[in-house]
């Protein structure tokens, strides 16, 4: 494989390649090693940075790449403070669960989610770069017998202006010289001096994604490899009663049939033979699982009843003052219930993993695209009962993630391992699209009940937001749930409505029974909580007789940057100029600390009930943009994702079985339905906040509010399918 | 045994004739730039040119290809320098990138038939291919950029 683990690099380095290795410890950069010397030999260390004598600067990428672009952005942050010439930088993927490189935003678990890579690693990477630069300057000072204070750096070189001396980083990294890191963290750049952060530096992975050379897990080929296709129990919890494998085994190319905990794999010489073999299996499953009773419609009814029953038990998500009292004391009380269905990730690369398990089961090499080195390595170790040292992992770029590849236990990895162990050969297990959808883990269905009071002046008096949905964390990561219960950020994010100042506020999680496999999905809770909250704000503004901008601005008395976004998006969308036959809707949401104001303009075919989103304007404050061009791409993509989810995406479940099969019945947005998108980014801060998911949460409410603008009717059940639209119109 | 001409080179496949061309290209011949997305002519990740026409290789039996010239992303240019590929880089289109070989091959089919397509034509032709990352706005711009060059 082309992807080098730093440990492999180190091995070749021990042959005497020389250079400098910047070793990381628990608290960041710990020491520097002469890569050819004893120190490196003695240290089983990975490094943030390795500088080769030839001048290549190898920077570790500790997250994983699913399209969000942090494989460029993270090394860029380090390179900025190192003052590296970007052309010298080689990016190397971290391929193991080494918590010294973990994501500070997730307690140092190697976990790429929550739009957290750039903001989570921002400080650690800058400091590592600055510390490494300081070492190079000291080496130059020693070499030239000059005080370090007289030196400066320019891209990939230390310079002494008075004497005109100049030494390339590669030269300084070679041979003898000081290796010590200063006692104190090296000073960081003045942001005004940034030349990489905030620049138009292109993504490194783009050329390989235009000529077919980028290698995803599904593309990995190793000698002697077989292919597996898995017939899975149709309902969660069912197990195998009996099977007849004779026909499958007789099919051309079939090598083995392997029983799995929740399925049967046919392993064959080619992927097509595996598929044909699987079609010939005849399998009887149990029919007793509790999940046989699951249906999406029933789940939503139960959830809605729980949300509306104010006496039902709930976990406090955020509380300020006394919402119930304020609502009771208000001149007018408003309430509404919003529903949202299960949604599927539809990442374009179906699950695919290559595993090569040693014949005695003592070692494994795995190629997988997941959002976490930690949990993938853990899955491998658990399935095979081997230690982390016996695992060689290759974290492949993913054909989309969106939360699907985050779970603590990864059945797609497990299956490839079990098939390889059973056959003694490397196996590529590929899910079909139907497998990926029918056995998907979804954004949970949710019912939300909102209540608020309005006073005589049209102001808000109390806000209560009850979200009835299962705990996502309890299912997709039970270990984590032990630490955080009953606070479920995956189920609840967004319901805190933290951009508004509402004195009497309550957001509550009514933790309902899980009736599908659930997992994070782009925007996590905010994908539906912001729909409900911002659609409800629109209803309140209307009831109060106020302009939707003014009503929200009043809630942002302490949030001038938020008000700025409102003003911007009003101007961008030319809000006050109405176009006949179209509706306009506003929403203010965002993700985490990132704020986003969005305006949707829609048209409607009243006969068919089809909504078309014509334009979407967004004003976003994501703090400092490390890669502005990519940030824009992420927000654009997040908006497209949001439109797709709001208009069409719906998983239905009957008797525990997902009813959809493929893109013909789970439709995602196509090119012909994409709105014109215009994005503005606020400037003026020095810290990045979340980008990857920031575009999505505002979209559904903006569309629902535009629908009200156009028709006077409310859409309170997402997605806004043609049937629901016609129903809302009373047709 | 099936004879194929792929990217101008004669290849031989041992796969049964009903095997989709996609799997032969990817797994037997090792040209993995062409992707599997749905297997049902729904997503376009598997798009290749057959006699210059953008086609879903996932539903094309290898036995049906005959003498037709097949072009995959690897054969579009020797070094990624096709105007579409350069436009894709200039507009920084890809995110995860998984759909992009198919998008580029779809666009190549479009420009071969209609060198100067308008935005509506681009939208409608490119609707055969899905992009979950939502790169559509950039795809439109990249096709327009390339169309100014070819
Ligand atoms: S894989 Fe051929 S169209 Fe989706
Ligand atoms: S770039 Fe990810 S699916 Fe298109």
């Amino acid at each position: 494989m082309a992807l080098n683990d730093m440990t492999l690099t180190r091995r070749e380095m021990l042959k005497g390649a020389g250079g400098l290795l910047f070793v990381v410890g628990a608290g960041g950069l710990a020491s520097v090693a002469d890569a050819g010397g004893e120190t490196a030999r003695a240290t089983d260390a990975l490094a943030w940075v390795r500088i080769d004598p030839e001048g290549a600067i190898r920077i570790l990428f500790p997250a994983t790449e699913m399209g969000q672009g942090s494989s460029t952005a993270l090394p860029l942050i380090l390179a900025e403070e190192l003052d590296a010439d970007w052309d010298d930088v080689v990016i190397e993927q971290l391929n193991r669960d080494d918590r010294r490189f973990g994501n500070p935003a997730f307690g140092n678990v190697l976990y790429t989610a929550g739009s957290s890579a750039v903001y989570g690693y921002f400080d650690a990477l800058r400091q590592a770069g600055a510390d490494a630069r300081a070492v190079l300057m000291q080496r130059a000072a020693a070499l030239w017998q000059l005080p370090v204070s007289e030196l400066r750096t320019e891209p990939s070189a230390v310079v002494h202006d008075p004497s005109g001396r100049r030494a390339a980083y590669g030269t300084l990294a070679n041979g003898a010289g000081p290796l010590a890191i200063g006692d104190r963290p090296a000073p960081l750049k003045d942001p005004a001096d940034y030349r990489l952060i905030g620049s138009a530096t292109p993504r490194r992975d783009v050329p390989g994604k235009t000529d077919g050379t980028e290698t995803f897990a599904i593309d990995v080929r190793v000698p002697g490899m077989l292919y597996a296709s898995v017939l899975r129990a149709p309902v969660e919890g069912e197990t195998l009663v009996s099977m007849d494998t004779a026909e499958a085994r007789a099919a051309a190319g079939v090598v083995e049939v392997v029983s799995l905990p929740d399925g049967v794999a046919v392993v064959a010489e080619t992927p097509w033979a595996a598929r044909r073999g699987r079609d010939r299996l005849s399998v009887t499953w149990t029919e007793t699982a509790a999940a046989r009773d699951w249906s999406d419609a029933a789940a939503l009814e139960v959830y809605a009843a729980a949300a509306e029953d104010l006496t039902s038990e709930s976990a406090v998500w955020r509380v300020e003052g006394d919402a119930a009292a304020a609502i009771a004391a208000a001149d007018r009380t408003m309430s509404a219930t919003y529903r949202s269905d299960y949604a599927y990730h539809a990442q374009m690369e179906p699950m695919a993993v290559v595993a090569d398990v040693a014949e005695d089961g003592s070692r494994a090499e795995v190629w997988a695209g997941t959002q976490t080195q930690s949990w993938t390595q853990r899955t491998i170790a658990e399935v095979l009962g081997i230690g982390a040292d016996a695992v060689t992992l290759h974290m492949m770029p993913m054909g989309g993630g969106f939360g699907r590849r985050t779970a603590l236990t990864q059945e797609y990895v497990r299956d490839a391992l079990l098939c390889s162990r059973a056959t003694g050969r490397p196996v590529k297990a590929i899910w079909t699209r139907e497998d990926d959808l029918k056995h998907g883990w979804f954004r949970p269905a949710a019912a939300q009940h909102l209540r608020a009071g309005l006073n005589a002046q049209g102001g808000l008096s109390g806000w209560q937001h009850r979200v009835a949905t299962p705990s996502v964390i309890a299912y997709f990561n039970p270990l984590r749930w032990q630490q955080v219960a009953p606070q479920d950020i995956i189920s609840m994010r967004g319901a805190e409505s933290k951009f508004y100042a509402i004195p009497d506020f309550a957001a509550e999680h009514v933790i309902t029974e899980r009736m599908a496999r659930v997992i994070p999905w782009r925007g996590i809770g905010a994908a539906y909580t912001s729909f409900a909250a911002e659609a409800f704000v629109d209803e309140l503004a209307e009831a109060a007789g106020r302009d939707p901008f003014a009503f929200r601005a009043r809630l942002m008395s302490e949030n001038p940057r938020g008000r700025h976004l409102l003003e911007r998006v009003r101007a961008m969308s030319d809000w006050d100029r109405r176009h006949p036959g179209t509706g306009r809707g506003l929403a203010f949401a965002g993700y985490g600390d990132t704020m986003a104001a969005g305006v949707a303009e829609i048209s409607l075919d009243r006969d068919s009930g089809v909504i078309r989103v014509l334009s979407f304007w967004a004003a976003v404050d994501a703090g400092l943009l490390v890669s502005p061009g990519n940030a824009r791409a992420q927000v654009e993509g997040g908006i497209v994702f949001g439109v797709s989810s709001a208009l069409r995406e719906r998983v239905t479940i009957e008797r525990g079985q997902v009813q959809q099969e493929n893109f013909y019945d789970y439709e995602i947005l196509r090119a012909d339905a994409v709105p014109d998108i215009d994005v503005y980014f606020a400037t003026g801060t020095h810290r990045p906040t979340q980008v990857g998911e920031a575009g999505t949460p505002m979209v559904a409410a903006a569309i629902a509010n535009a629908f009200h603008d156009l028709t006077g009717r409310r859409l309170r059940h997402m997605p806004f399918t043609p049937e629901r639209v016609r129903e809302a119109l009373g047709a | 045994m099936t004879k194929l001409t792929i990217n101008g080179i004669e290849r031989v496949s041992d796969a049964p004739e009903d095997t989709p061309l996609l799997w032969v290209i990817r797994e037997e011949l090792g040209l993995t730039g062409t992707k599997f997305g749905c297997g049902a002519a729904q997503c376009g990740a598997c798009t290749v040119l057959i006699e210059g026409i953008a086609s879903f290789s996932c539903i094309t039996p290898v036995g049906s290809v005959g003498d037709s010239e097949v072009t995959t992303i690897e054969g579009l240019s020797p070094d990624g320098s096709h105007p579409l590929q350069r436009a894709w880089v200039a507009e920084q289109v890809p995110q995860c990138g998984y759909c992009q070989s198919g998008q580029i091959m779809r666009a190549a089919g479009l420009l071969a038939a209609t060198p100067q397509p308008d935005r509506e034509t681009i939208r409608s032709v490119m609707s055969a291919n899905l992009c979950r990352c939502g790169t559509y706005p950039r795809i439109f711009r990249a096709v327009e950029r390339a169309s100014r060059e070819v």
Side-chain angles (χ1 to χ4, degrees):
Chain A
M1 294 309 306
L3 294 174
N4 287 328
D5 190 302
M6 280 283 184
T7 35
L8 299 182
T9 322
R10 203 180 125 253
R11 217 173 289 145
E12 104 207 5
M13 194 176 66
L14 291 181
K15 291 185 209 138
L20 275 190
L21 191 70
F22 293 84
V23 180
V24 72
L29 199 58
S31 62
V32 186
D34 176 345
E38 287 305 313
T39 339
R41 256 182 265 274
T43 322
D44 177 27
L46 290 171
W48 273 127
V49 192
R50 184 190 140 196
I51 302 180
D52 294 343
E54 298 75 26
I57 298 173
R58 298 171 190 279
I59 301 181
L60 189 72
F61 170 53
T64 55
E65 180 61 58
M66 67 193 106
Q68 84 280 25
S70 52
S71 59
T72 297
L74 296 191
L76 189 92
I77 295 166
L78 193 151
E80 177 73 70
E81 289 291 348
L82 176 61
D83 216 4
D85 183 334
W86 183 244
D87 290 340
D88 295 336
V89 171
V90 178
I91 299 168
E92 306 216 358
Q93 173 71 51
L94 173 67
N95 282 317
R96 56 160 137 147
D97 179 16
D98 187 331
R99 303 289 167 99
R100 294 170 304 173
F101 300 94
N103 188 338
F106 288 110
N108 293 333
V109 173
L110 277 300
Y111 189 68
T112 307
S115 307
S116 68
V118 165
Y119 92 81
Y121 281 105
F122 188 63
D123 288 336
L125 292 174
R126 282 189 306 154
Q127 199 59 57
D131 289 346
R133 173 177 170 271
V135 170
L136 292 162
M137 290 181 74
Q138 282 188 11
R139 287 170 77 91
L143 182 70
W144 296 331
Q145 302 284 306
L146 287 166
V148 81
S149 59
E150 288 184 15
L151 307 181
R152 65 176 181 88
T153 56
E154 57 187 35
S156 289
V158 181
V159 181
H160 182 244
D161 287 321
S163 65
R165 285 196 176 96
R166 188 176 184 287
Y169 283 180
T171 314
L172 290 170
N174 205 13
L179 293 171
I181 291 196
D183 304 337
R184 270 190 250 144
L188 299 173
K189 274 188 183 175
D190 180 340
D193 296 333
Y194 286 159
R195 54 185 179 76
L196 295 174
I197 291 175
S199 72
T201 308
R203 283 174 62 147
R204 276 291 172 87
D205 54 350
V206 159
K209 290 174 174 177
T210 60
D211 63 11
T213 56
E214 182 72 303
T215 305
F216 300 86
I218 202 172
D219 300 326
V220 170
R221 297 161 80 241
V222 294
M225 186 173 79
L226 298 171
Y227 296 83
S229 188
V230 179
L231 180 68
R232 232 164 268 279
V235 174
E236 182 186 329
E238 302 293 14
T239 52
L240 193 68
V241 174
S242 65
M243 64 174 167
D244 180 352
T245 63
E247 252 196 83
R249 285 179 190 277
V254 171
V255 173
E256 189 58 89
V257 178
V258 182
S259 284
L260 302 170
D262 56 4
V264 180
V266 174
V267 187
E269 297 287 350
T270 70
W272 197 243
R275 197 86 68 77
R276 301 299 296 268
R278 165 182 158 176
D279 293 343
R280 294 192 171 126
L281 284 173
S282 98
V283 177
T284 310
W285 308 98
T286 55
E287 290 186 15
T288 52
R292 290 259 166 196
D293 294 335
W294 289 353
S295 95
D296 61 294
L300 267 184
E301 280 322 299
V302 172
Y303 295 0
E308 288 170 359
D309 174 4
L310 302 182
T311 64
S312 66
E313 203 188 319
S314 64
V316 173
W317 175 242
R318 181 181 161 223
V319 67
E320 304 283 341
D322 187 341
I327 294 169
D331 293 297
R332 246 193 311 169
T333 303
M334 303 266 301
S335 69
T337 299
Y338 299 85
R339 291 169 170 81
S340 51
D341 293 313
Y342 296 106
Y344 163 59
H345 302 77
Q347 80 289 344
M348 290 305 303
E349 180 192 17
M351 294 306 190
V353 172
V354 177
D356 186 4
V357 180
E359 216 140 341
D360 62 358
S362 66
R363 296 198 58 80
E365 185 165 9
V366 174
W367 293 259
T370 80
Q371 294 173 238
T372 164
Q373 293 93 332
S374 294
W375 304 149
T376 301
Q377 184 166 306
R378 183 181 188 276
T379 297
I380 299 165
E382 293 231 313
V383 168
L384 297 176
I386 58 176
D389 290 352
V391 176
T392 306
L393 189 54
H394 303 273
M395 299 305 294
M396 309 304 293
M398 288 163 265
F402 313 117
R404 178 63 182 93
R405 306 168 192 267
T406 52
L408 182 67
T409 307
Q410 300 170 350
E411 76 282 24
Y412 39 96
V413 174
R414 177 201 68 196
D415 293 351
L417 289 165
L418 294 178
C419 289
S420 175
R421 189 169 69 182
T423 55
R425 287 169 66 178
V427 171
K428 172 157 37 174
I430 306 174
W431 290 34
T432 63
R433 179 58 59 186
E434 290 80 3
D435 295 339
D436 205 84
L437 181 40
K438 288 213 168 288
H439 305 283
W441 299 30
F442 305 119
R443 183 189 77 195
Q448 303 174 68
H449 187 63
L450 285 107
R451 300 172 67 235
L454 289 172
N455 59 33
Q457 295 77 43
L460 191 56
S461 170
W463 171 282
Q464 187 180 18
H465 186 169
R466 290 168 59 78
V467 182
T469 196
S471 164
V472 174
I473 299 178
Y475 181 68
F476 98 106
N477 191 337
L479 269 189
R480 181 76 183 144
W481 188 234
Q482 287 171 15
Q483 299 163 347
V484 301
Q487 294 279 306
D488 193 323
I489 191 173
I490 307 296
S491 299
M492 289 299 290
R493 172 160 261 176
E496 64 278 2
S497 293
K498 68 179 184 182
F499 307 129
Y500 296 147
I502 303 176
D504 296 296
F505 180 98
E508 300 154 1
H509 185 184
V510 183
I511 301 177
T512 52
E513 191 193 337
R514 181 180 68 82
M515 298 191 206
R517 298 182 178 98
V518 291
I519 200 164
W521 188 93
R522 194 175 195 169
I524 55 174
Y528 45 89
T529 62
S530 294
F531 156 55
E534 282 297 298
F536 191 56
V537 166
D538 213 66
E539 299 198 33
L540 294 173
E542 184 200 14
R546 284 180 168 268
D547 163 271
F549 286 87
F551 190 81
R552 287 177 174 82
R554 197 157 138 181
L555 300 176
M556 289 194 232
S557 53
E558 292 152 33
N559 182 359
R561 292 184 68 88
R563 293 201 307 276
H564 168 68
L565 299 180
L566 283 178
E567 284 157 21
R568 280 306 300 233
V569 86
R570 181 173 199 132
M572 287 163 75
S573 62
D574 203 359
W575 177 264
D576 299 301
R577 210 186 73 213
R578 309 338 294 284
H579 300 265
T582 67
R584 295 271 185 101
L586 168 69
F588 193 96
Y591 183 89
D593 295 328
T594 295
M595 296 185 284
V599 168
E601 181 175 69
I602 67 162
S603 65
L604 171 66
D605 181 318
R606 286 173 192 260
D607 294 333
S608 65
V610 172
I611 292 173
R612 186 179 169 103
V613 182
L614 304 169
S615 294
F616 202 98
W617 297 270
V620 180
D621 188 341
L624 172 72
L625 300 179
V626 169
S627 301
N630 185 54
R632 185 171 295 276
Q634 292 304 305
V635 172
E636 286 168 2
I639 291 168
V640 170
F641 207 94
V643 172
S644 185
S645 155
L647 295 185
R648 305 172 183 214
E649 295 186 34
R650 182 182 184 205
V651 170
T652 59
I653 295 171
E654 277 173 34
R655 298 196 48 74
Q657 300 193 40
V658 172
Q659 299 299 294
Q660 288 68 33
E661 295 184 331
N662 205 315
F663 290 121
Y664 44 75
D665 52 9
Y666 190 92
E667 293 182 73
I668 63 172
L669 206 70
R670 290 183 184 274
D672 55 3
V674 171
D676 291 331
I677 297 173
D678 186 9
V679 180
Y680 157 84
F681 284 104
T683 54
T685 60
H686 297 315
R687 294 199 63 78
T689 60
Q690 298 89 340
V691 168
E693 291 162 275
T696 305
M698 66 182 147
V699 175
I703 295 172
N705 297 343
F707 182 81
H708 177 263
D709 180 50
L710 184 62
T711 67
R713 306 299 175 94
R714 296 286 175 188
L715 292 170
R716 297 198 187 96
H717 193 161
M718 174 169 77
F720 315 135
T721 58
E723 303 74 52
R724 288 176 185 160
V725 165
R726 288 201 304 267
E727 199 183 300
L729 292 171
Chain B
M1 231 177 45
T2 312
K3 268 200 197 159
L4 295 164
T5 312
I6 300 188
N7 301 329
I9 300 168
E10 283 219 1
R11 310 291 295 254
V12 175
S13 165
D14 297 329
E17 295 210 334
D18 65 345
T19 307
L21 175 64
L22 170 67
W23 296 110
V24 172
I25 292 173
R26 284 179 48 79
E27 305 293 342
E28 192 179 354
L29 306 179
L31 297 169
T32 55
T34 306
K35 304 302 184 195
F36 167 64
C38 70
Q42 294 292 308
C43 77
C46 65
T47 306
V48 298
L49 299 180
I50 301 179
E51 290 295 316
I53 295 168
S55 311
F56 299 116
S57 65
C58 70
I59 54 154
T60 305
V62 68
S64 74
V65 177
D67 295 336
S68 302
E69 175 84 33
V70 178
T71 309
T72 71
I73 185 74
E74 291 89 351
L76 192 60
S77 71
D79 52 0
S81 65
H82 185 280
L84 280 165
Q85 292 170 311
R86 281 190 279 121
W88 245 247
V89 173
E91 297 289 347
Q92 292 279 293
V93 175
Q95 291 186 27
C96 83
Y98 194 78
C99 72
Q100 299 296 346
S101 298
Q103 305 280 5
I104 291 170
M105 297 313 286
R106 177 75 48 194
L110 166 62
L111 294 190
T114 313
Q116 308 284 324
D118 59 18
R119 181 60 75 99
E120 277 320 299
T121 306
I122 295 171
R123 273 176 176 274
S124 123
V125 170
M126 297 310 293
S127 288
N129 289 43
L130 293 171
C131 175
R132 184 52 154 172
C133 297
T135 65
Y136 302 117
R138 287 165 189 243
I139 289 174
F140 303 155
R141 290 205 298 273
V143 175
E144 285 166 352
R145 178 188 279 261
S147 76
R148 291 193 293 268
E149 282 190 37
V150 288

